[in-house]
Amino acid sequence: NAGVTQTPKFRVLKTGQSMTLLCAQDMNHEYMYWYRQDPGMGLRLIHYSVGEGTTAKGEVPDGYNVSRLKKQNFLLGLESAAPSQTSVYFCASSALGQGYGYTFGSGTRLTVV
Amino acid sequence: QQQVKQSPQSLIVQKGGISIINCAYENTAFDYFPWYQQFPGKGPALLIAIRPDVSEKKEGRFTISFNKSAKQFSLHIMDSQPGDSATYFCAASNSGGSNYKLTFGKGTLLTVNP
């Protein structure tokens, strides 16, 4: 039982490059979330999804896009990476009807140079 | 607008001591208050949670105290151990509404010295 799996674990990008972070969960959870974690800033919500085919903006959505084509996958895209997007990105999922009980992945450390 | 304020930002405790982390919230619609523990290089993991119908919840050495009138809740770690050294996040949500999101505090880095 893998829970929430994030790929890749590490990545270095040059400014202006694009990339996609993949999150996969095997718990049949309805809700999925992308957070970024920066020193002193805690966990900030980028985008989230309440079900397959639906997405919504969180607290810091600018510069990111997401897609939830399959229930188990939630993709986070950076179209034109900027140094300000250097961060650790966490994906999380939770079951239907709960605003709690998040299961987090182990994170993706992204550096934009 | 920061809806969940967490303090202190960092905390150093001696082994065997009590660690106390405090959080305050603004949204009176919040009705679920979890705490997450995060070790370096790992994702946060649910530690303990409370709903406002009780004032205290205890699980082993970890206790949440909740004060609804003051809109505050706190995590107490009794007999703190070096293995408890981690970052702790409080959070809150309105589980009964359409807001399916947790709002997190900024975290507390706990160091327990041997």
Side-chain angles (χ1 to χ4, degrees), chain A residues 56-78:
Chain A
K57 294 180 180 180
E59 180 184 356
V60 288
D62 294 343
Y64 305 94
N65 57 76
V66 288
S67 64
R68 183 104 181 264
L69 299 180
K70 293 184 178 181
K71 185 177 183 179
Q72 63 268 33
N73 295 335
F74 195 29
L75 278 62
L76 178 70
L78 286 72

Side-chain angles (χ1 to χ4, degrees), chain A residues 37-96:
Chain A
Q37 184 176 23
D38 304 288
M41 300 298 290
L43 293 159
R44 293 183 292 171
L45 182 64
I46 305 171
H47 286 281
Y48 66 103
S49 169
V50 300
E52 182 178 318
T54 70
T55 63
K57 294 180 180 180
E59 180 184 356
V60 288
D62 294 343
Y64 305 94
N65 57 76
V66 288
S67 64
R68 183 104 181 264
L69 299 180
K70 293 184 178 181
K71 185 177 183 179
Q72 63 268 33
N73 295 335
F74 195 29
L75 278 62
L76 178 70
L78 286 72
E79 293 186 346
S80 180
S84 61
Q85 295 178 302
T86 293
S87 186
V88 180
Y89 292 86
F90 287 100
C91 176
S93 70
S94 67
L96 179 65

Side-chain angles (χ1 to χ4, degrees), chain B:
Chain B
Q1 179 187 9
Q2 185 184 357
Q3 296 193 53
V4 178
K5 294 184 179 180
Q6 184 172 347
S7 62
Q9 195 169 6
S10 62
L11 179 63
I12 299 174
V13 175
Q14 292 300 118
K15 178 181 177 181
I18 301 174
S19 303
I20 302 174
I21 304 171
N22 300 299
C23 284
Y25 63 97
E26 300 169 359
N27 187 344
T28 56
F30 286 154
D31 63 354
Y32 186 77
F33 304 90
W35 285 87
Y36 284 79
Q37 179 187 55
Q38 183 183 29
F39 293 108
K42 304 293 185 181
L46 181 63
L47 181 64
I48 187 173
I50 196 169
R51 291 196 176 275
D53 53 344
V54 296
S55 59
E56 185 175 282
K57 182 174 181 179
K58 184 177 180 180
E59 290 185 2
R61 296 184 293 107
F62 300 89
T63 300
I64 299 179
S65 297
F66 184 80
N67 185 329
K68 187 175 182 179
S69 61
K71 293 188 288 185
Q72 296 176 347
F73 58 109
S74 60
L75 176 68
H76 295 236
I77 306 174
M78 309 300 289
D79 187 26
S80 298
Q81 299 297 311
D84 297 331
S85 297
T87 299
Y88 292 82
F89 293 97
C90 63
S93 73
N94 173 11
S95 59
S98 60
N99 179 1
Y100 303 110
K101 308 183 299 292
L102 278 172
T103 299
F104 287 88
K106 292 190 174 183
T108 297
L109 177 61
L110 172 65
T111 302
V112 181
N113 289 327

Side-chain angles (χ1 to χ4, degrees), chain A residues 2-40:
Chain A
V4 177
T5 302
Q6 292 183 235
T7 53
K9 296 189 182 302
F10 304 93
R11 185 73 185 268
V12 178
L13 282 180
K14 292 183 179 179
T15 298
Q17 287 185 321
S18 63
M19 77 164 294
T20 300
L21 282 66
L22 173 63
C23 176
Q25 53 97 2
D26 62 1
M27 298 169 287
N28 201 36
H29 283 171
E30 288 293 329
Y31 305 147
M32 296 188 75
Y33 314 84
W34 276 107
Y35 285 87
R36 60 178 290 174
Q37 184 176 23
D38 304 288

